[in-house]
Amino acid sequence: MELTVRQKDILKAAIAIIANQGYEKLTIKNLATKIGVTEAALYRHFKSKREIVTMILSYFEELSNRVLNEICESNNAPLDNIRKFVEDRYILFSKNPDLAKVMFSEELFKNDPTFKGQFQCIMHKHKQAMESYLIQAQKDGNIKKDISSIQLFRIIIGSMRFTVTQWNLSDGAFDLQKDGSDLFESIIKLIRIKEEDR
């Protein structure tokens, strides 16, 4: 997905409007006012509000694919791959709190089933990748086998989602990257097989 500098500015402004005012306030008029252009000028970059939201989701997907590809090309252990993905999410959302609000907002996905379907595809890709690493870690004897990979995925990603939401609601009152990393390590301690039990 190749975006112009102006298109990126428009998407960033759209993300800010959705995050801070809600999906209903994202109108071409409000968006044009926010970035200081006419509505006609904005339409030269995007055809509709719907296309803008679709591109926001595509942008998030591209960021996710980038880290998943980096992980895939590395030769790291499965748990290190999961750590890399989780830590990348914390870094991404620390730098882009409005993006976190939009991605974790159910309001956006209630308005158009297409958005819901697009986001579900992104989530499925995350789930597939993380589950494969969890299954491999179980086969390697590194983490407990009596917890299904889907439940482990939900524990890791669900706790991440809660932490990011808590951080957003507190207006960034704590260090998201540090607390997120500490949380991940705590989860690993709970699910890791101890040396003496191997």
Side-chain angles (χ1 to χ4, degrees):
M1 179 181 70
E2 286 295 322
L3 294 172
T4 65
V5 172
R6 177 51 96 183
Q7 284 176 319
K8 288 177 184 175
D9 289 342
I10 293 168
L11 292 185
K12 188 176 179 183
I15 289 167
I17 290 172
I18 297 169
N20 299 297
Q21 298 174 50
Y23 175 77
E24 293 304 320
K25 292 292 182 182
L26 178 65
T27 63
I28 296 298
K29 182 178 180 180
N30 288 344
L31 189 51
T33 300
K34 184 168 180 65
I35 61 175
V37 299
T38 64
E39 290 178 54
L42 201 146
Y43 277 117
R44 284 198 290 270
H45 299 283
F46 293 104
K47 295 174 187 172
S48 64
K49 169 180 173 174
R50 192 169 184 277
E51 183 183 16
I52 289 167
V53 175
T54 298
M55 291 304 290
I56 289 170
L57 292 171
S58 296
Y59 169 70
F60 179 67
E61 183 176 16
E62 184 180 287
L63 294 174
S64 296
N65 287 344
R66 196 176 301 160
V67 70
L68 288 174
N69 289 339
E70 284 175 18
I71 289 168
C72 191
E73 289 168 7
S74 72
N75 208 14
N76 295 328
L79 285 180
D80 290 332
N81 288 334
I82 297 166
R83 181 181 289 106
K84 164 78 174 159
F85 180 78
V86 169
E87 288 182 351
D88 178 83
R89 300 292 87 182
Y90 285 126
I91 292 167
L92 173 65
F93 293 138
S94 291
K95 292 178 180 175
N96 304 280
D98 286 344
L99 181 62
K101 288 177 187 174
V102 172
M103 289 301 105
F104 291 161
S105 165
E106 293 189 15
E107 177 199 10
L108 181 66
F109 308 113
K110 287 177 184 174
N111 288 284
D112 189 318
T114 311
F115 301 154
K116 181 180 176 183
Q118 188 178 357
F119 192 65
Q120 281 178 324
C121 285
I122 297 167
M123 284 175 51
H124 181 69
K125 195 178 285 187
H126 293 175
K127 177 180 163 291
Q128 244 183 345
M130 293 304 103
E131 267 200 283
S132 71
Y133 296 131
L134 288 163
I135 290 167
Q136 189 57 54
Q138 287 176 321
K139 286 179 181 173
D140 294 345
N142 292 319
I143 60 175
K144 296 176 180 179
K145 294 180 181 177
D146 58 347
I147 308 172
S148 71
S149 59
I150 182 61
Q151 295 304 335
L152 291 171
F153 170 79
R154 287 174 178 157
I155 289 166
I156 293 167
I157 300 303
S159 63
M160 178 185 71
R161 183 180 177 124
F162 177 81
T163 304
V164 173
T165 300
Q166 194 177 39
W167 176 75
N168 263 323
L169 291 173
S170 72
D171 294 322
F174 57 90
D175 186 331
L176 179 61
Q177 289 176 240
K178 182 185 180 305
D179 281 28
S181 182
D182 290 347
L183 175 61
F184 179 78
E185 295 307 327
S186 296
I187 292 170
I188 294 303
K189 281 180 188 174
L190 292 171
I191 66 173
R192 190 188 291 276
I193 296 174
K194 295 176 183 175
E195 287 294 331
E196 60 268 24
D197 296 332
R198 292 186 188 186

